[in-house]
Amino acid sequence: GTGTIVSEPTYETDGSMKFVCTVCGDEKFESIPKLEQPTLKQINGQWVYASGDTIITDYTGLVEYCGNYYHIANGVLDWGYTGLSYYQGNWWYVTNGVIDWSYTGLTYFYDTWYYVTNGFLDWNVTTLTYFYDVWYYVENGVLNWNYTGLVEFYGQYYHIENGVLNWNYTGLSYYQGNWWYVTNGVIDWSYTGLTYYYGTWYYVTNGFLDWNVTTLTYFCDVWYYVKGGTVAWDYTGWVKYNSGWYYITNGWLDWSKQ
């Protein structure tokens, strides 16, 4: 009689089919050979990922073949593809259908920029990277458009705005709990003096916003009174500076009262 499949074959095990005699009712079981392991092969002049003559059309990702790795799209080797491709739990960078072990840098994939190291998407990388004349901030393998602040890179500190190094920025920038003074996108260790930031004048010492400073400071032809790292606009009275006493009116030195 007509056979009935008891279990489908897989790539690892044979299947089974049952036959029932229509005369006596006896049953007979036969094995169905296990499926041929899928591999890269040529069918009708095209490289495909197939088991036997059956193309695995639901597979997209890398396939290893003769020591190299190729990008498969819906069962067909895609020589025109450049980008990320998945294989055994990791993402890899492909150029023209083949893993590109030489590539290190950014790549765009489904609305996100990722960082690749020697062909491998490296989730552990946090760095600055140069791409088409712009420096970008990568955090844990992904370009972080949300980050604004300082980043250390090869011993220097750079100011990042929304994931991009801003060479034009001069002012305060945040890093690990402190504020630092930046000139043209880089920490300026030489600067000591006042700087304006979001409605407040702060005092910087050697590039560092020093909340402990109380002093007089000269800025744009005027002497100002700094207390606790900011100009004390609410202070009027005498202050001592370099063995002398000076009268302050609303935060600035009032020479008419000396």
Side-chain angles (χ1 to χ4, degrees), residues 73-84:
N74 300 318
V76 179
L77 197 162
D78 186 354
W79 295 107
Y81 180 73
T82 294
L84 292 179

Side-chain angles (χ1 to χ4, degrees), residues 113-173:
W113 287 93
Y114 297 94
Y115 188 79
V116 172
T117 304
N118 297 326
F120 174 69
L121 197 166
D122 192 345
W123 299 104
N124 297 316
V125 165
T126 295
T127 188
L128 289 181
T129 188
Y130 192 68
F131 188 74
Y132 284 91
D133 298 326
V134 177
W135 286 90
Y136 295 94
Y137 175 61
V138 171
E139 184 175 5
N140 296 325
V142 181
L143 201 163
N144 187 352
W145 299 106
N146 297 317
Y147 182 75
T148 294
L150 289 175
V151 168
E152 188 275 333
F153 186 67
Y154 285 94
Q156 187 58 275
Y157 294 82
Y158 300 91
H159 177 73
I160 307 301
E161 283 186 20
N162 300 320
V164 179
L165 197 162
N166 185 356
W167 295 107
N168 297 316
Y169 180 73
T170 295
L172 292 178
S173 189

Side-chain angles (χ1 to χ4, degrees), residues 150 156-159 169-173 179-193 204-209:
L150 289 175
Q156 187 58 275
Y157 294 82
Y158 300 91
H159 177 73
Y169 180 73
T170 295
L172 292 178
S173 189
W179 290 89
W180 305 83
Y181 186 74
V182 169
T183 299
N184 295 328
V186 184
I187 278 188
D188 187 349
W189 305 103
S190 68
Y191 184 73
T192 294
V204 172
T205 304
N206 297 325
F208 174 68
L209 196 165

